[in-house]
Amino acid sequence: MLSLYLLTLAICAVAVVASPPVVRRNSPITLPFAKVISTTGTRSIVERDRTRYNALRAQAKTTTSQDQATNASANNTLVSYVINVGVGSPPELFNLIIDTGSSNTWVGADITHPYVPPFSSLTGETMGAVYGSGQFSGPAVKVDITIGSLQVSDQIIGSAVEAFGFNDGVDGILGIGPTGLTKGSLFPDESATIPTGNNLIPEHLFAVSFEPATSNPELNGELTFGGIDDSKFTGSITYTPITSTSPASQYWGIDQSISYGTTAILSQGSGIVDTGTSLIGLASDLFSVYQTATGGILDPATGLLTVTEEQYANLGDLTFTIGGTDFDLTPNAQIWPRSLNSAIGGESGIIYLVVINLGTPSGFDMDFINGQAFLERFYSVFDTANSQVGIATTPFTNAETN
Ligand SMILES: *[C@@H]1O[C@H](CO)[C@@H](O)[C@H](O)[C@H]1NC(C)=O
Ligand SMILES: *[C@@H]1O[C@H](CO)[C@@H](O)[C@H](O)[C@H]1NC(C)=O
């Protein structure tokens, strides 16, 4: 038994993060979810994002029907956004991390909340994946999935018998990255991919609304399957095609340019939009330019840059130009919520920046990761049918709550 799992893990080492099940609808489905703050400290949030990035780049490789869009709420836990997903019939509820950077869905991360799959649901295969900061393996099962009013029949998910690297209260992952990312996650059929149901939802897209947190957890996220929630954004949505540059092209990857105030940081590069990354990552040379321009000092305790009150007052906008539109991260959007400093191992009264160093130079792997700190200021649309990502401003783009 043990050797089987070890073998499975070895095989899965090339498969990355986990893919969620969705259903076809003719109209959209929206789900609320909440973001959870980690209690493991700020330093670990940086390490977690950087480790995730390294896993993403290393691992890049190559049903039912519904009529309406579904909204689902998500809890913002600071490190992750967590959504309630029903597994089986009748549905048993699990708290799953919303992850656009992986495509396997699985449960069983919390040993205090095990999932016991019916024998008839076992497919005979094993599923596993290695993430930046954790991994899982266990039998693959074919079960019905329920997210809000969305039901997906016969979705193949993992029932973990081994998992680590996940916070208490998290049961697993809802992986909603491109289907190709599931390749290598099944054993013995390593070449198989797992249909995620993404192509079954109406319009073949989903949309994400995150908001800055002032408490932990805070039920302030919403995921819409098969539609766009007009109440969650302002102005129009700018769409940009999935980048052709690898490895970002294998994820929800886009091209963008970056500037800070009047300082050019990146004329054009590729990276990803990722709900599974907490902060905003820049390639090492780009990060250096940002650090110099802001005057931030690296804080050993948290791994984040800190700035003084005076430097904060003088911060410029960090601008991501996507599809010809400028998306400005205001000074307030560039700092960690000050009321939540202790949640990341920080001290009260200190100002921490949320832009981190990915640790590899630009033009090498990914130049940037637009994680939760970005998505809390801009609405995002993940359009599978048209291979594009949409970004729009929101009522929180210029919020001062941080
Ligand atoms: C759910 O999503 C729809 C779009 O399909 C939207 O019109 C509606 O306002 C959303 N409901 C809530 C409660 O946000
Ligand atoms: C959000 O978190 C609260 C408090 O832990 C919990 O009661 C609730 O069920 C969660 N909701 C979702 C959608 O995860």
Side-chain angles (χ1 to χ4, degrees), residues 99-226:
D99 189 9
T100 57
S102 70
S103 304
N104 287 87
T105 292
W106 59 275
V107 297
D110 187 343
I111 55 171
T112 68
H113 186 201
Y115 174 62
V116 181
F119 186 76
S120 60
S121 69
L122 300 174
T123 69
E125 293 208 283
T126 298
M127 184 186 292
V130 176
Y131 303 86
S133 53
Q135 63 183 51
F136 84 96
S137 67
V141 298
K142 188 185 268 191
V143 291
D144 293 347
I145 297 293
T146 307
I147 307 172
S149 63
L150 176 67
Q151 292 188 332
V152 186
S153 299
D154 294 336
Q155 180 66 39
I156 295 174
I157 69 169
S159 174
V161 294
E162 175 269 357
F164 63 84
F166 299 91
N167 286 346
D168 291 349
V170 168
D171 291 312
I173 290 179
L174 176 68
I176 47 179
T179 302
L181 292 177
T182 59
K183 196 169 183 182
S185 67
L186 285 177
F187 178 80
D189 192 2
E190 297 162 56
S191 62
T193 56
I194 303 168
T196 62
N198 239 339
N199 50 358
L200 295 179
I201 56 175
E203 298 187 54
H204 305 188
L205 59 75
F206 62 91
V208 172
S209 169
F210 287 170
E211 296 172 8
T214 53
S215 64
N216 176 36
E218 187 167 337
L219 191 67
N220 67 1
E222 184 192 77
L223 189 50
T224 301
F225 288 105

